[in-house]
Amino acid sequence: MQLLQFTDKGIYCPVGDFYIDPWQPVQKAVITHAHSDHARGGSQNYLCHHDSVPILKLRLGPDISVQGVAYGETIRMNGVTISLHPAGHVIGSAQIRVALNNEVWVASGDYKTEHDGISAAFEPVPCQTFITECTFGLPIYNWQPQQVVFDNIRQWVHENQQAGKTSVLLGYSLGKAQRLLYHLKDISPEIWAHGAIYITNQMLREHGWDLPELHRITPETPHSVFKNNLVIGPPSAADTTWMRRFNPYSLGVCSGWMQVRGHMRRRNADAGFILSDHADWNGLLSAVKATGAEKVYTTHGFSSAFARYLQENGIPAEEVKTEYGVTEEEETNPS
Ligand SMILES: [Zn+2]
Ligand SMILES: [Zn+2]
């Protein structure tokens, strides 16, 4: 029997009787991170990293039954050993290591190999079988160091200020928003945010995260306050009437998809910043190699292309169908 199986409810461990990131309600759910395609409501019990606990409660409800663990701490379920290891994707994100006797599997969840400064840095975990995401599993996806991207954003905000425009940046509320705020906290006299981003930021600040205080945008907020300041909104705000209050403004979108020109035009962005919380092509390859895995399952993104490339390079790989990325609030392929 395989230690982990791919079922219609999610990744299942029959011996330990638990699921990893199930997309149907189950008895025991081990959660890699709090994005909506990985952490879904309705399960009886959740296990995740300590830092994900308040985010899970914010998103799934304060009354869920959830246990937090530290990175590297081991939990036993029916003789199966489970531990969580940093995935570098968003605050609290983890890869799940599952071991029985001498067999070790790792389910990556979403990950990125560049340390973003705020999420615990990705650590490769040696295993025989690795289940990897591959959102950006094509060679065209090749990130620049984040410092270059943040310098470009600073420059863009500065130019907008010179032109008397408001800078509106779109990035989703868990992950991209914290990363932008952490690195750009002194960029404008005030930073204004959409409610979804404000609430997450406020909760994280209350839990001790070094994030700037934001001003919350409400229907009553006078339009004059936005001038020369930075505004952060969720990707869903693009092309909505919510944007009108910022006139005159310049719209910047932060996403890995900005690597492809057409995506920027489609979102009516004035500036596209290639910034992702997922690994790029080289990041995926280096992560797979660092595990030393003898077998790789690919999912979540360009899974067939990435599996084929691994096979051609002597690493047995197979694509598996999951529902991750399908409803992701974040970097679902917009095409
Ligand atoms: Zn994610
Ligand atoms: Zn995902």
Side-chain angles (χ1 to χ4, degrees), residues 200-216:
T200 304
N201 191 69
Q202 204 51 27
M203 183 273 293
L204 290 168
R205 277 169 55 84
E206 282 162 17
H207 283 83
W209 293 92
D210 178 20
L211 291 162
E213 183 159 19
L214 299 179
H215 298 265
R216 184 179 188 162

Side-chain angles (χ1 to χ4, degrees), residues 255-272:
S255 166
W257 301 111
M258 293 299 110
Q259 186 109 55
V260 179
R261 278 252 150 219
H263 290 318
M264 190 175 121
R265 283 198 301 272
R266 210 168 305 154
R267 293 198 194 176
N268 290 323
D270 302 301

